[in-house]
Amino acid sequence: MSGGEEEQPPDISREGANEEEQPPNISREGENVEQSANINPEGENVEQSANISPEGENVEQSAIINPEGENVEQSANISPEGENVEQSAIINPEGENVEQSANISPEGENVEQSANISPEGVFEISPAISENAIMELLENLDATEDVPSPVDENQSESSPDDTILKKTSPEVLEADLKPDALQSGIISSTSISADEKPCVSKECLMEQITESSSEVSEKVISRSTEKLQMLKKLEGILTPDTINAELLAYLYAEGLSEIPSSFFEGRARRSLLQSFENATISEMRSAERLSEMIDDGNVQLNAKGLLEIPSGVFDIQMLKYLHLNNNEIKTIPRDIRLFTNLEILSIERNQLTSVPTEISLLHSLRTLNLSHNQISHLPDGISKLSRLKCLLIRYNNIEKFPSALEKLEKLEILDLSGNKLTLPDTMTTMKTLHMLYLNSNKMSIFPKALCYLPNLYKLSLSDNQIQSLPKEIKELKNLKELLLNNNKLIFLPVQLFQLINIEKLRLDDNQLESLSDKVENLQKLRDLSLAKNLFENITENICRCTMLEYLNLSDNQLKIFPPNLYKLKCLRELYINRNKLIFLDEQIAYFKDLSVLEISGNALMYIPVEIKGCTELTRIDLSCNKLSLFPVGLCALTALKHLNISQNYISEITTEISLIRNLQYLNFSKNKLPSFYIYLCTLAKLSYLDLSNNQISSVPINVQKMRSLRVLLLHHNRFVLFPKELCVLNWLKVLDISENKIQLIPSDINQLQELKDLNLSNNQFASFPNEICQLSSLQKLTLCQKSGLKLKSLSEELSKLTCLKVLDVSHNELQEMPESLGEIKSLVTLIANNNCLKKLPLNFSTLHNLQCLNLKENEMLHLPSDLHLLLELKDINFDENTLIRPPLEVCKAKQLLPITRYLESADERDEKILEKVLKTIASNIAFEHFEFFCQKLQLNSIVIKTIETDRTLLLEEKVTQALNHWKTANQNLSPAAMTDQLIRILTMAGLYYLTNKVKSLKLCSRLVKF
């Protein structure tokens, strides 16, 4: 394990976000009011345009209904104030729809007769209709709560209009709550049905309505107390998903309830879902629940294959956090200006080439992430984002530093990594900048302007070509982290060591040969990496950096362990991998708090027993050394969890290893172990054990005690028989016993029901081991026989591995794949290169999850025509086959699309060739050859007799009918195969003149593009 840490860009969090604002409540003094529609006698829904109050407010009003229940529209009138006022339609006795002309005032203005308008300009619901409809809704809600609904004693004496009111259907209520209704500003009315049409005159109807209105008005007054009690119960019911628009409008008009702000937000939410479903996307899993992507003011649409931002997103007025990462969005629409409350916008890893100027209108924006796109410049208007604190535009095509960034007075975090920038001297004005990332910009000179950013505490210039540091670097007095790894630094100026506040210094992967004694000035230094340089020794003054916790000296030329390093009392992690150390100093015992020690890739022949003093060690890597004895001192490290001692010369394990009771990972590969030592079986917490590349030939029966073991690697050993002792490890997940001499698999292997990964490659199996087909949980099976006995075939029982995702049967001598392969629907990767395969199974195209197919170096001539059905297939390799259909040149690009297009075209051509061949044969068979030809077609004698005795048919029609019978019987053959079969039949029938004609037709047709 390398000790280096990859520097991560800052996370985008919601920390510090303002509390979500709610849209304003809708009052009765100037806001939109939604209201229940009036109902005609037939129970049909009637909509009407909004009316205008004397204060100029928009008020919705119920339409007046004709006796036939038909919807009646009316032209708009003009109020004395010149405002547009709509009026209820006048109804004729026959119930027909009547339009009424606008009235004209004496001043010549258009005046509309406003119905049911209060002195305050607020529309009042017609009591004869609205009251009963609403009360019935309230009664239904009461019933759901098991509470008796209030019933008026005189309710049975309702007007004729009341008798036609029915319960609202769920379908209508659902329709009312659709997003379209909100977007259009109209809330549709509840539909009411009636069984019969009342036959009344106009005068009678108007009289009944008048009486009913007066009667119900009295009811409203007497029952106001009961309504208030009901409303308390409705508080938990009125949600954006369940609320009825008519009920809400009624409650508001009666002054009993305000329209909740969440009502409109809920509808905007549904609008987003609808637009997302209609958005153009490259792929979308139908099982996904879109509602999970929306959480209050946070919309998560990462990795959804979006080609554009769904239009419904712009309907969420209170949106604060929008994440659109990992899609295929190419442009940001101008409607982005609608996100006035947006605080975080992340569109990382898309295909953006520019940023619209409208982004400057997002005045609440705090974080903007446009990383990993193709943006070449930023608009000047970005300087107006006065609240912007974090700007991430790494890995784009920006070559000139955007001057607008210098005007962002609150910008604290700026990431411009992965561009080709040159920095201007004027950027010294960015006084608020705290963190600056300029990695991978091909800079060869350290920009001096950076030295005059007084509040900078993190600076990252990794992966550039900087050769030296300026003396002015000492001005960065508040700097805490400086990352200069992977540059071309040859030396470090003394001024660097005047940065007394530095805590993290990364200088790995440069060309440094020495470290100044002045390093002792860095008293706050906690993290120092000098890996991958040319150090042959390290100054002793490093021991005076007493706060140091992490030290990486790997990949240098150190020959001795740095002296007095033990004085670093706070040191927790020490990495000295791949140096030239011959011995380990006994002073290692003084690292009392050390938790990680890696000394791999050296020439250590001995580990001092004093290492037992490092009682806090949890991880040790001693791999790739020259150890011949197991370090006994390690057995005293009871806290040790991870031990890598691979690639040494150890031939024996001591009994004391059982004392490392907390050990979870043990790598003993590439040593000289003669056996699976029984002492290892006492490590009860061991979950990973690698004993590969040793000389082991058996497994102790005590292995059953290793109940935590999940991964066991025994490849490259000397097993001749599969160790049955392993079959009791029914908790094992991964087993690799490849590169041995095993010939048989015991039936007891079916006990390994938790096994996910099994590698049996390069053993000596005479045939495919059917026993492994009982491992129903197996997900990866490897039977690559590059150096073992070659398998000739696979078992049809392979289909029992219903969870199999990866199958590797490469380097065998398989001539065909089992037909049951198509039944393994879970298969994702099939590796079958270097075999003798000539074709694929007929149902191969049913492997709809297949993504990787390697058939390199086989004997394939044809690919199946239905290969295009493998929609997930992306990684293909048909190299070094003898392909004819399609030609190998088509497959060289390893792209599925040109292959399938060729196959489709070839199928059409072959079908046309077959039709031409059948027609040619039918018109050239002589009467004396007909019966013999039919016999060669292997037609039933009854069929032949039936066709032959049919006097209504001409000879050509008889031959055509015989060929159709033959074609039906051989429909499993491809058109090309049928043509070849007919050529053989003609040859056997002795019809050589016709055989040559068909062959010529087939040959010439390949030169013609149909």
Side-chain angles (χ1 to χ4, degrees), residues 481-494:
E481 296 185 23
L482 177 59
L483 312 179
L484 290 166
N485 47 297
N486 195 17
N487 276 280
K488 295 184 178 180
L489 294 173
I490 300 175
F491 69 94
L492 301 174
V494 177

Side-chain angles (χ1 to χ4, degrees), residues 677-743:
Y677 280 88
I678 194 172
Y679 317 123
L680 297 176
C681 301
T682 62
L683 300 173
K685 294 185 178 181
L686 197 65
S687 62
Y688 182 102
L689 177 58
D690 188 351
L691 295 174
S692 60
N693 293 91
N694 280 283
Q695 303 169 17
I696 302 171
S697 59
S698 63
V699 175
I701 192 171
N702 287 21
V703 72
Q704 61 184 338
K705 296 181 180 179
M706 305 180 73
R707 303 196 64 84
S708 297
L709 195 61
R710 296 295 180 269
V711 178
L712 178 58
L713 309 181
L714 295 170
H715 58 87
H716 292 88
N717 275 285
R718 298 182 178 180
F719 290 99
V720 177
L721 298 174
F722 186 95
K724 289 186 177 182
E725 293 80 5
L726 298 180
C727 296
V728 300
L729 302 178
N730 53 18
W731 47 82
L732 201 63
K733 302 288 186 183
V734 178
L735 174 60
D736 188 344
I737 198 165
S738 61
E739 303 288 347
N740 283 281
K741 305 294 182 182
I742 299 173
Q743 300 179 16

Side-chain angles (χ1 to χ4, degrees), residues 69 93 96 106 141 160 216 235 340 371 379 455 537 571 636 645 776 816 974:
E96 297 175 353
L141 289 171
V216 177
E235 290 179 357
T340 55
S371 302
N455 294 307
N537 55 69
L571 197 63
I645 201 166
S776 58
E816 61 180 6
S974 65

Side-chain angles (χ1 to χ4, degrees), residues 549-738:
E549 298 177 358
Y550 174 98
L551 177 60
N552 192 342
L553 300 173
S554 299
D555 297 287
N556 280 286
Q557 309 293 323
L558 300 177
K559 295 180 180 179
I560 59 172
F561 195 80
N564 299 324
L565 206 60
Y566 67 91
K567 294 182 180 179
L568 297 173
K569 302 298 183 182
C570 295
L571 197 63
R572 299 289 184 273
E573 300 181 36
L574 176 60
Y575 302 87
I576 320 181
N577 302 314
R578 294 172 295 279
N579 277 277
K580 297 181 179 180
L581 299 179
I582 300 176
F583 67 94
L584 190 61
D585 198 306
E586 294 177 355
Q587 294 181 347
I588 190 72
Y590 294 104
F591 289 101
K592 300 294 184 181
D593 295 321
L594 196 65
S595 62
V596 177
L597 175 62
E598 293 194 7
I599 324 179
S600 67
N602 285 280
L604 299 175
M605 302 177 66
Y606 171 75
I607 302 296
V609 70
E610 285 79 8
I611 197 173
K612 66 181 180 181
C614 303
T615 55
E616 298 299 319
L617 274 174
T618 60
R619 177 188 179 93
I620 299 180
D621 189 347
L622 299 172
S623 61
C624 303
N625 280 285
K626 296 182 178 181
L627 302 174
S628 57
L629 296 174
F630 183 81
V632 180
L634 300 180
C635 299
L637 303 178
T638 56
L640 192 62
K641 295 181 179 180
H642 184 111
L643 174 58
N644 186 353
I645 201 166
S646 62
Q647 297 190 53
N648 281 284
Y649 301 91
I650 301 172
S651 59
E652 185 178 359
I653 301 178
T654 61
T655 309
E656 289 79 9
I657 195 173
S658 60
L659 299 176
I660 316 178
R661 292 187 175 87
N662 291 307
L663 197 63
Q664 299 175 7
Y665 177 102
L666 177 58
N667 190 341
F668 239 116
S669 63
K670 296 184 179 180
N671 276 279
K672 303 293 182 181
L673 297 178
S675 64
F676 191 128
Y677 280 88
I678 194 172
Y679 317 123
L680 297 176
C681 301
T682 62
L683 300 173
K685 294 185 178 181
L686 197 65
S687 62
Y688 182 102
L689 177 58
D690 188 351
L691 295 174
S692 60
N693 293 91
N694 280 283
Q695 303 169 17
I696 302 171
S697 59
S698 63
V699 175
I701 192 171
N702 287 21
V703 72
Q704 61 184 338
K705 296 181 180 179
M706 305 180 73
R707 303 196 64 84
S708 297
L709 195 61
R710 296 295 180 269
V711 178
L712 178 58
L713 309 181
L714 295 170
H715 58 87
H716 292 88
N717 275 285
R718 298 182 178 180
F719 290 99
V720 177
L721 298 174
F722 186 95
K724 289 186 177 182
E725 293 80 5
L726 298 180
C727 296
V728 300
L729 302 178
N730 53 18
W731 47 82
L732 201 63
K733 302 288 186 183
V734 178
L735 174 60
D736 188 344
I737 198 165
S738 61

Side-chain angles (χ1 to χ4, degrees), residues 249-265:
Y250 171 73
L251 297 176
Y252 174 78
E254 291 295 317
L256 302 178
S257 173
E258 292 291 343
I259 298 180
S261 58
S262 59
F263 179 75
F264 293 107
E265 197 65 26

Side-chain angles (χ1 to χ4, degrees), residues 783-985:
L783 267 168
C784 171
Q785 296 296 98
K786 198 170 186 177
S787 61
L789 282 180
K790 308 292 185 182
L791 298 175
K792 306 294 183 181
S793 63
L794 300 180
S795 173
E796 290 289 342
E797 294 185 13
L798 201 64
S799 60
K800 293 181 179 180
L801 302 177
T802 55
C803 295
L804 195 65
K805 294 183 177 180
V806 180
L807 176 61
D808 185 351
V809 289
S810 58
H811 294 278
N812 283 282
E813 295 179 357
L814 303 175
Q815 295 186 2
E816 61 180 6
M817 302 294 286
E819 289 295 330
S820 62
L821 182 69
E823 299 175 17
I824 310 177
K825 306 301 182 183
S826 58
L827 197 63
V828 174
T829 300
L830 175 59
I831 304 173
N833 55 286
N834 297 87
N835 278 281
C836 304
L837 296 173
K838 293 181 171 59
K839 63 177 183 177
L840 292 172
L842 294 176
N843 60 352
F844 188 77
S845 61
T846 61
L847 300 174
H848 298 305
N849 291 310
L850 195 66
Q851 298 179 14
C852 176
L853 176 61
N854 187 348
L855 293 174
K856 181 180 178 182
E857 292 191 49
N858 278 277
E859 299 175 7
M860 303 285 294
L861 294 174
H862 305 275
L863 294 180
S865 299
D866 52 2
L867 204 61
H868 65 279
L869 298 177
L870 302 177
L871 301 178
E872 299 293 329
L873 190 58
K874 297 178 177 64
D875 186 1
I876 55 178
N877 192 342
F878 298 118
D879 292 350
E880 299 182 50
N881 278 273
T882 54
L883 282 170
I884 298 175
R885 184 181 178 278
L888 195 57
E889 291 76 13
V890 178
C891 303
K892 281 185 177 179
K894 296 180 173 59
Q895 297 292 324
L896 186 62
L897 183 59
I899 295 175
T900 55
R901 289 286 174 84
Y902 180 91
L903 293 174
E904 290 173 2
S905 177
D907 285 341
E908 294 177 4
R909 181 197 64 192
D910 292 344
E911 185 63 40
K912 291 180 179 179
I913 293 174
L914 178 61
E915 292 175 3
K916 186 66 176 176
V917 167
L918 294 174
K919 187 175 182 180
T920 301
I921 293 174
S923 60
N924 286 276
I925 292 290
F927 177 77
E928 59 270 19
H929 298 146
F930 175 73
E931 184 176 357
F932 184 62
F933 176 69
C934 288
Q935 292 173 355
K936 292 301 179 182
L937 290 175
Q938 297 182 347
L939 298 183
N940 187 286
S941 58
I942 299 177
V943 173
I944 297 175
K945 192 68 175 175
T946 302
I947 297 175
E948 197 173 22
T949 57
D950 190 347
R951 296 183 179 181
T952 62
L953 299 177
L954 299 175
L955 176 59
E956 183 175 343
E957 293 173 337
K958 290 181 179 181
V959 178
T960 301
Q961 196 172 98
L963 288 172
N964 287 337
H965 278 284
W966 172 85
K967 186 178 178 182
T968 302
N970 293 274
Q971 59 185 356
N972 60 321
L973 297 177
S974 65
M978 286 186 182
T979 301
D980 294 336
Q981 183 72 5
L982 284 172
I983 292 174
R984 287 192 289 270
I985 291 172

